[in-house]
Amino acid sequence: MAKPKRIYLAGPEVFFPATEHQAIVGEKKRLLREYGFEGVDPLDTELVFSDDEAKPKRGQRIYQANRELMDSCDAIIANLTPFRGISADPGTVFEVGYMIGQGKPTFGFSLDSRCYRERAGSAGLDELGHTIEDFEMSDNLMIEGGISDSGGQLFVAEQPGEHRFFSAELFRRCVRALADA
């Protein structure tokens, strides 16, 4: 029997309380198994930290562990719902770019149906007088353009999900598209 393709699960869920994170990631992994895939969460690492280990060193070890997980995966599904601002979580965006750079299929979803410009402000300029990108895309053109070029797709919710940052239906659309890719 062939080993299932491993799918890296990127998104801001790593910052959620443990029970909330486990419930959402558990559902993502369940949906992936339905299609014969294995879900890989950034918190699936076995990192142990000593009390005297400096925070920058801990951060570097987490980065390295997550890169190793991404290297072991065949594709990524990223939660690109705006987090702590008008755009996707920056760590998630890095992971998307990293996987695209490796030539791996990249899929994403957002539960915010507004385009980037709508979230940034409708005047066309920000409070400093800088131009606001307006390509009627869900987020910065480099994110959506990279996803498209990878052979993947970005899905945007037409209605709210069961959680502010998760919709099983929207995630299933990503998995279906990945299975058909």
Side-chain angles (χ1 to χ4, degrees):
M1 177 192 282
K3 191 174 179 180
K5 286 189 175 182
R6 291 168 51 88
I7 312 305
Y8 189 79
L9 301 171
E13 294 86 353
V14 297
F15 301 110
F16 295 0
T19 55
E20 192 176 356
H21 172 264
Q22 291 164 354
I24 291 172
V25 170
E27 179 64 4
K28 287 179 177 183
K29 287 183 175 186
R30 186 190 71 73
L31 291 167
L32 282 163
R33 280 191 307 272
E34 283 183 13
Y35 288 82
F37 297 118
E38 176 189 356
V40 178
D41 181 60
L43 297 184
D44 286 346
T45 60
E46 300 290 330
L47 291 176
V48 177
F49 301 106
S50 65
D51 291 338
D52 62 340
E53 187 172 10
K55 286 185 178 184
K57 176 118 175 130
R58 288 181 189 198
Q60 187 64 34
R61 287 182 55 215
I62 292 168
Y63 160 78
Q64 189 61 46
N66 288 346
R67 266 197 53 197
E68 289 170 10
L69 281 177
M70 287 186 284
D71 290 344
S72 77
C73 289
D74 303 290
I76 182 173
I77 297 178
N79 181 347
L80 295 168
T81 304
F83 183 70
R84 297 184 180 147
I86 64 167
S87 192
D89 167 59
T92 302
V93 172
F94 172 86
E95 291 166 329
V96 164
Y98 184 81
M99 296 294 272
I100 290 169
Q102 289 189 350
K104 296 179 180 180
T106 303
F107 293 82
F109 66 92
S110 174
L111 273 81
D112 192 327
S113 62
R114 298 173 298 160
C115 68
Y116 181 79
R117 181 174 177 186
E118 287 177 80
R119 292 193 309 267
S122 59
L125 299 174
D126 67 14
E127 65 276 357
L128 299 173
H130 302 150
T131 304
I132 297 173
E133 182 177 302
D134 183 15
F135 295 100
E136 297 178 358
M137 293 179 156
S138 180
D139 212 309
N140 180 279
L141 66 90
M142 297 302 286
I143 300 168
E144 198 159 337
I147 289 172
S148 179
D149 276 0
S150 80
Q153 192 172 350
L154 177 65
F155 293 91
V156 179
E158 296 169 11
Q159 58 192 18
E162 57 269 24
H163 182 281
R164 181 175 174 214
F165 288 94
F166 181 68
S167 160
E169 155 56 24
L170 200 56
F171 187 80
R172 184 183 297 276
R173 288 174 61 194
C174 289
V175 176
R176 244 187 255 126
L178 175 62
D180 291 342

